Structure formats: structure tokens, C-alpha cells
């Protein structure tokens, strides 16, 4: 058993397709968030956010994360624009590892400038970006992969077993983080009376902040079975998530349910970026073989075999 574990850790890199999907979604999140907040950038993270200096200074962040708090004007705009560019490079997978490191440093520098901006999804994003620095997240569906296919095999800078071990340890840490988030969230929920009586989902949907479709979906929100079902399903899926991952059929069910839950949160409650972050990291749990089968199915659908015309010989 120990030998199998060592072989799993050192011989091949795992979850390479899922990590590629995670990379693309996280790069999109970083770039698109900064683009849509371009007009408010100085108020949110620039000179207009100086009222947060006391909070930032009290946390003792490393000085190399103070880039955005030490510059202003044109320098701030250039650094802000560079963060968008590196987010796009991360999404495209061009110089993937360097793009991941730069995106992480710049994104962290923005967070340090104004710790009041962000959500739980942003915290997960920063943590997963850190782990992605040690993975081969650009192996598939990236500019790097396309360039490698043209250049052929290149000499590696580090032994294969060492690179695979770093990659797989990072995957383990990301999965551990996902499981801890879901299990801790479920245990927090079961301590609340609103979650115990099955009404917790109802109340945020009655607020303007978390109910952008209230007029349209009001009758659905007012249905007690729907609210109770959504409340208890959220608890059950999160609490038993690590158990459901142990077997392939139950893992499939768990991923569908947890992805559906996040899509519901994103679309019905308007918390799209948080949902995208969680969906991105959940994609790592889909095995490489499943991604390959899905890609082959999609390729066959787009390029069906051309039917062979019937022969006319002898007619």
C-alpha cells in the first residue's frame, strides 16, 4: 500500500485536465473583476482607499506585497493594468507558471491595499493560486501546450519524480482545502436554528442584495418544500462531500449536486464570482480519464464520421 502511494505521488501528474480548467476560470475571474471595476479602481484600491491604512498596517504584511499602496497616479494604473494582463495570460496558459506567480503577487497586493474588499471566494482564489504555482496547470488547453506540441520534447530542468511530487502534493492540498471548506460550512450551518428548521435559504432571498430575480422567481421562493429542500440538500451535500468522493458513482453525484448548488447561488443570488471560484476548484476532482472521455465525445459531436456513400459497382 505504501509502495502504491509513493508511485501515485512520484510517477505521474494527476488532475492535469481539471487544473487546466481551474487555471482558465481563475484567470478569467481576476481579469474580468478588474476590468468591470476599472472606473472605481482608485476609490477601491488606490488613493481613495487610504482610510484602510490603519487596518493594513496592523496586520504586518510583507513589504513586497505593498506595491499598490506605495504608488499612485499613472504608476497605479500601470500596475492595475499589468494585473489584468497577467490574469489573461494565466487564462490563456502562456508562460503559465510565471503568469501564476505574477497574478498571485499582484492580486495579493491589491487585497492588502484594501482588506475590506473581497469575499470568501477571493480567499479561496488566493490560496489556490498559491498552490497552482507548484502544478503543471498549463499542460492542456493552453498556449504553452500548443507551443510544446510544435517544439517537441524539451529537456526538463528538474527530475521527473520531483516535478510530479510537487504537482501532486499541490493537488492534495487543494482537494484538502475544498473538503475543509465544505465540511466546516456544514457544521457551522447545523448549529443555526434557521438551518435546522429548513428556512435558512428563504431569508437572504428576501433581500435586495441576494435576490436579483425576486419579482420573477417570487412564487418559487415562497414554496416551503422548495426552500426546505434547498436548505437540507446544501447541508447534506457539504457534510457528506468527502465520503461521496470515495467512489466513482457517488463522486459523480456529489460533483453534479455541488456544482448545481454553486450555479444556483451564482444565478439566483447574484454571487457569481464566488460561485465561479468554487466551481473552478471543484473541477480538479474530475479525473483525467473523465475529461478525456468528455473531450472525445465533444470532438465526435463536432466532427461526426462522414458516412461512406453506397457503392455503385454493378448498377
Amino acid at each position: 500500500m505504501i509502495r502504491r502511494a509513493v508511485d501515485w505521488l512520484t510517477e505521474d501528474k494527476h488532475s492535469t485536465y481539471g487544473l487546466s480548467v481551474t487555471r482558465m476560470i481563475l484567470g478569467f475571474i481576476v481579469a474580468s473583476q478588474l476590468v468591470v471595476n476599472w472606473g472605481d479602481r482608485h476609490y477601491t484600491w488606490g488613493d481613495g482607499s487610504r482610510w484602510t491604512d490603519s487596518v493594513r498596517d496592523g496586520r504586518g504584511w510583507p513589504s513586497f506585497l505593498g506595491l499598490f499602496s506605495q504608488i499612485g497616479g499613472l504608476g497605479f494604473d500601470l500596475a492595475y493594468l499589468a494585473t489584468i494582463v497577467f490574469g489573461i495570460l494565466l487564462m490563456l496558459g502562456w508562460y503559465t507558471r510565471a503568469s501564476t506567480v505574477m497574478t498571485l503577487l499582484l492580486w495579493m497586493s491589491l487585497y492588502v491595499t484594501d482588506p475590506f474588499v473581497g469575499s470568501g471566494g477571493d480567499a479561496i482564489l488566493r490560496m489556490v493560486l498559491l498552490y497552482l504555482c507548484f502544478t503543471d496547470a498549463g499542460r492542456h488547453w493552453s498556449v504553452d501546450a500548443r507551443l510544446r506540441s510544435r517544439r517537441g520534447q524539451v529537456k526538463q530542468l528538474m527530475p521527473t519524480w520531483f516535478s510530479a511530487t510537487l504537482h501532486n502534493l499541490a493537488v492534495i492540498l487543494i482537494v484538502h482545502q475544498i473538503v475543509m471548506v465544505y465540511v466546516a460550512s456544514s457544521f457551522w450551518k447545523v448549529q443555526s436554528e434557521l438551518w435546522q428548521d429548513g428556512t435558512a435559504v428563504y431569508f437572504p432571498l428576501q433581500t435586495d442584495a441576494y435576490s436579483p430575480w425576486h419579482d420573477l422567481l417570487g412564487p418559487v421562493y415562497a414554496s416551503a418544500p422548495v426552500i426546505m429542500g434547498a436548505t437540507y440538500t446544501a447541508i447534506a451535500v457539504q457534510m457528506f462531500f468527502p465520503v461521496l468522493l470515495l467512489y466513482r458513482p457517488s463522486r459523480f453525484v456529489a460533483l453534479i449536486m455541488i456544482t448545481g448548488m454553486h450555479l444556483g447561488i451564482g444565478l439566483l443570488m447574484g454571487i457569481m464570482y464566488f460561485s465561479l471560484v468554487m466551481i473552478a476548484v471543484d473541477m480538479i476532482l474530475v479525473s483525467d480519464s473523465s475529461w478525456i472521455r468528455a473531450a472525445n465525445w465533444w470532438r465526435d459531436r463536432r466532427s461526426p464520421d462522414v458516412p461512406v456513400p453506397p457503392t455503385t459497382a454493378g448498377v
Side-chain angles (χ1 to χ4, degrees):
M1 186 174 179
I2 295 177
R3 184 61 194 175
R4 288 182 58 188
V6 172
D7 291 345
W8 185 92
L9 193 65
T10 60
E11 289 188 352
D12 295 316
K13 295 178 180 177
H14 302 281
S15 297
T16 54
Y17 285 91
L19 280 168
S20 297
V21 176
T22 303
R23 181 205 81 232
M24 289 187 286
I25 298 177
L26 296 189
F28 168 78
I29 291 172
V30 169
S32 63
Q33 279 201 82
L34 297 189
V35 169
V36 299
N37 285 289
W38 176 267
D40 298 323
R41 62 192 185 282
H42 291 292
Y43 176 76
T44 308
W45 295 288
D47 295 335
S49 67
R50 293 296 181 237
W51 60 279
T52 64
D53 285 354
S54 58
V55 176
R56 184 189 65 243
D57 297 340
R59 297 193 178 188
W61 294 101
S63 58
F64 63 88
L65 293 177
L67 173 64
F68 285 97
S69 59
Q70 296 169 6
I71 57 178
L74 180 61
F76 176 89
D77 289 344
L78 291 176
Y80 191 93
L81 192 60
T83 311
I84 297 175
V85 171
F86 279 111
I88 295 174
L89 293 180
L90 175 64
M91 180 174 61
L92 298 177
W94 194 40
Y95 291 98
T96 304
R97 201 179 300 274
S99 299
T100 307
V101 173
M102 289 305 301
T103 302
L104 172 66
L105 291 177
L106 292 169
W107 188 252
M108 278 295 300
S109 296
L110 270 179
Y111 169 75
V112 168
T113 303
D114 189 352
F116 292 103
V117 177
S119 65
D122 292 328
I124 299 296
L125 186 149
R126 293 191 296 272
M127 199 170 300
V128 175
L129 276 180
L130 174 62
Y131 295 143
L132 278 186
C133 296
F134 301 95
T135 68
D136 190 3
R139 174 174 282 198
H140 307 289
W141 302 320
S142 67
V143 176
D144 287 344
R146 184 173 291 273
L147 293 176
R148 276 197 300 267
S149 67
R150 293 180 179 176
R151 296 169 182 166
Q153 194 68 26
V154 296
K155 185 178 180 180
Q156 295 186 350
L157 299 177
M158 60 181 70
T160 302
W161 67 267
F162 184 72
S163 175
T165 301
L166 280 181
H167 173 97
N168 293 327
L169 284 176
V171 170
I172 292 173
L173 290 173
I174 294 174
V175 174
H176 168 266
Q177 191 62 46
I178 299 170
V179 170
M180 287 298 103
V181 167
Y182 289 146
V183 173
S185 177
S186 69
F187 277 101
W188 175 84
K189 287 182 173 69
V190 296
Q191 298 178 62
S192 166
E193 292 184 3
L194 297 179
W195 286 92
Q196 291 174 12
D197 62 23
T199 61
V201 173
Y202 174 79
F203 296 101
L205 294 175
Q206 303 309 306
T207 64
D208 293 336
Y210 296 114
S211 184
W213 313 104
H214 186 271
D215 293 339
L216 187 63
L217 299 176
V220 178
Y221 299 157
S223 172
V226 171
I227 294 297
M228 186 173 294
T231 303
Y232 289 144
T233 300
I235 295 175
V237 173
Q238 291 185 323
M239 181 172 292
F240 297 107
F241 192 74
V243 179
L244 296 172
L245 294 180
L246 295 178
Y247 303 99
R248 186 185 296 270
S250 58
R251 187 191 314 165
F252 184 69
V253 173
L255 288 174
I256 289 178
M257 295 186 70
I258 206 75
T259 302
M261 186 181 79
H262 290 311
L263 285 175
I265 292 173
L267 295 175
L268 301 181
M269 301 180 71
I271 317 176
M272 204 62 222
Y273 280 120
F274 166 77
S275 300
L276 277 178
V277 170
M278 298 311 297
I279 290 173
V281 294
D282 286 342
M283 292 300 101
I284 298 173
L285 298 170
V286 181
S287 66
D288 281 351
S289 59
S290 297
W291 282 110
I292 292 173
R293 283 197 298 271
N296 290 337
W297 175 85
W298 177 249
R299 191 181 303 114
D300 293 341
R301 295 278 294 181
R302 293 190 62 188
S303 303
D305 294 336
V306 178
V308 179
T311 178
T312 56
V315 176

